[in-house]
Amino acid sequence: MQIVTRTTIEDFKAQIDAALLENVAELFIARVIEMALENNSNKMTEMSLNNIAETLVKRIEDQPKPSEAINQIVTYVRQVLPNTTIKVLGNQTKKELEEMIKIVTDRLEREPAQVEEIAAQVEIIAAPEEEVKETHIQIRTPDEFLFVNYTHLPDEDIERTEDVVLTIGNSVVRAQTFGHRFLLDIDPNKTVLISNITSKSATPEDFQKMINDAGENNAEIVHYFPADRAIVIVDRNSTLADAKGFLNNPTDNLSMALTHFHNARTNAMWAELKAHSNNTQRFIDTSFLTVQEGENRGEQHQKLQA
Amino acid sequence: MFTISHLDKLIKSSQTPIHLVKSIDDNNRKCFFFVMASKLKIRAMQSIKNGMVNLSEYGVIVASGFGHEVPVETKLMLMEKYGFDADSLK
């Protein structure tokens, strides 16, 4: 794990802001860091280096010029990391980080078709399978956040999706995805409990008990099913019917997640998510180009403030 | 109701202009984009004649859609999220 001190967070923010506005190729890494920092500006922030490395390799595939993107990314990572304090937790070491970066660097000499193979290597370096189950779910205090791995979700369904909403019953959480990773915002006024049942052992009675527990404790219960990499969130308003689909087909967690996030929040939000996802091409033909130029927005800001 | 990310806040506070770009995409569909970019970059893109360009290499795409008419919802979103009046474009 990487521990970023408060001073360094400020440095990070400045670099992230610059990267966000100026360099599209660096956007993904900036967004990962941004996620970790956004709600924790006054706190020590932990961020998994593996999160960055995995996201990094994954998102390279989306770049129009992979080699160029990797060059920029590696340069960026190397610029940033020397200024951070790295604390070794579990089996993640600075040496492993260097190995991950080396893998990405080596990618410069390889063909795009080998990206999958490289991604698999990074996965192995990140942590053995058994440890993934334990370390990739990180529940912190209610006003912080948790990371959840969704490594079994097919890419085409969540690719480029920046925000999704997962619900069960009337419980809604906001989630952001970065490749395979979801960041869930949990209601800070509720206690978050995590269950350790497996999908194979889950029964309607288990769900009913969880719903009852949630009601008694005014809690949201996060159920993580390691074998299926599925997450279910239950609160006092959840019903057994909500869990029915999952119980009937526990490996089909994707369909369940999609079913619920289609129903989530408002249509306006969904329309916005779609607009920013992969249904809009960004390659355009300059033969048919028309541009309405905008002006410097300083004046507009002043008008709005007035 | 729109979610506002840190990136959205940066875009909102930036003084860099937002332009409306219309064209057709690689599937021959009419499309529009609101792009935050310097005028220099936009003019550089305009100087490329008869070719496909990846718009995201020239700036940050803050909104997009198909067709050449910008929906009212998009304009409202731009105003709410970025404080940007799409009707101010000439």
Side-chain angles (χ1 to χ4, degrees), chain A:
Chain A
M1 302 294 288
Q2 177 184 6
I3 309 296
V4 183
T5 65
R6 187 179 302 182
T7 305
T8 312
I9 283 174
E10 294 308 315
D11 294 339
F12 260 133
K13 279 183 171 177
Q15 293 182 60
I16 292 163
D17 288 356
L20 282 168
L21 295 175
E22 293 298 330
N23 195 322
V24 174
E26 290 173 345
L27 191 63
F28 74 93
I29 195 168
R31 287 297 300 268
V32 171
I33 298 169
E34 172 207 336
M35 281 202 314
L37 301 184
E38 191 159 35
N39 297 316
N40 298 275
S41 56
N42 296 317
K43 299 173 186 175
M44 295 284 281
T45 301
E46 291 186 6
M47 189 171 58
S48 165
L49 295 172
N50 294 331
N51 294 351
I52 297 174
E54 288 175 16
T55 309
L56 187 152
V57 173
K58 177 68 193 132
R59 292 299 289 269
I60 282 166
E61 294 172 289
D62 295 334
Q63 296 293 329
K65 296 177 183 174
S67 297
E68 189 178 304
I70 294 164
N71 256 335
Q72 292 173 340
I73 290 157
V74 170
T75 302
Y76 184 75
V77 170
R78 284 182 170 157
Q79 281 175 345
V80 170
L81 289 178
N83 297 324
T84 63
T85 304
I86 295 176
K87 184 177 179 182
V88 177
L89 293 178
N91 67 335
Q92 297 168 8
T93 65
K94 188 175 181 180
K95 186 181 174 189
E96 286 169 341
L97 169 68
E98 288 167 351
E99 285 182 59
M100 285 187 276
I101 292 173
K102 184 175 182 303
I103 286 171
V104 178
T105 309
D106 290 346
R107 168 72 179 73
L108 285 167
E109 309 299 326
R110 302 183 188 188
E111 296 297 321
Q114 292 178 278
V115 169
E116 282 296 334
E117 177 192 331
I118 293 164
Q121 289 175 22
V122 172
E123 186 88 18
I124 292 165
I125 289 171
E129 182 66 17
E130 291 74 18
E131 294 186 23
V132 170
K133 294 172 186 173
E134 296 174 5
T135 58
H136 282 210
I137 285 274
Q138 301 168 34
I139 304 275
R140 298 197 178 86
T141 55
D143 61 337
E144 292 185 294
F145 56 82
L146 67 97
F147 278 115
V148 183
N149 241 1
Y150 253 77
T151 52
H152 285 187
L153 295 185
D155 292 350
E156 59 269 25
D157 290 309
I158 57 172
E159 187 181 41
R160 294 186 188 177
T161 302
E162 293 178 352
D163 292 88
V164 298
V165 175
L166 300 174
T167 68
I168 185 164
N170 295 319
S171 178
V172 177
V173 294
R174 184 167 64 84
Q176 290 184 306
T177 66
F178 290 83
H180 296 296
R181 199 165 300 279
F182 282 33
L183 173 66
L184 303 181
D185 284 349
I186 302 295
D187 185 342
N189 298 316
K190 292 183 178 179
T191 305
V192 177
L193 307 173
I194 187 164
S195 81
N196 58 0
I197 63 169
T198 66
S199 58
K200 288 180 181 176
S201 66
T203 65
E205 288 72 28
D206 288 329
F207 276 94
Q208 188 60 62
K209 183 176 184 306
M210 291 168 197
I211 293 166
N212 293 343
D213 288 345
E216 288 173 11
N217 297 298
N218 189 28
E220 286 180 334
I221 300 184
V222 178
H223 305 277
Y224 174 53
F225 299 91
D228 308 311
R229 307 290 177 88
I231 188 163
V232 178
I233 296 160
V234 176
D235 71 2
R236 67 171 67 193
N237 298 314
S238 301
T239 67
L240 279 180
D242 295 325
K244 188 179 175 185
F246 186 80
L247 287 170
N248 287 342
N249 189 1
T251 60
D252 191 15
N253 57 71
L254 173 64
S255 64
M256 175 184 143
L258 291 180
T259 298
H260 287 287
F261 94 70
H262 270 292
N263 294 331
R265 295 261 176 107
T266 64
N267 289 335
M269 181 175 176
W270 175 241
E272 185 204 14
L273 298 179
K274 291 290 284 182
H276 284 280
S277 64
N278 57 3
N279 69 338
T280 304
Q281 295 292 326
R282 291 166 187 219
F283 284 92
I284 59 171
D285 191 335
T286 55
S287 310
F288 300 89
L289 193 65
T290 63
V291 175
Q292 289 174 253
E293 274 194 9
E295 296 299 326
N296 183 297
R297 284 185 289 150
E299 282 186 19
Q300 201 167 87
H301 290 325
Q302 287 175 355
K303 282 180 187 172
L304 282 172
Q305 284 172 356

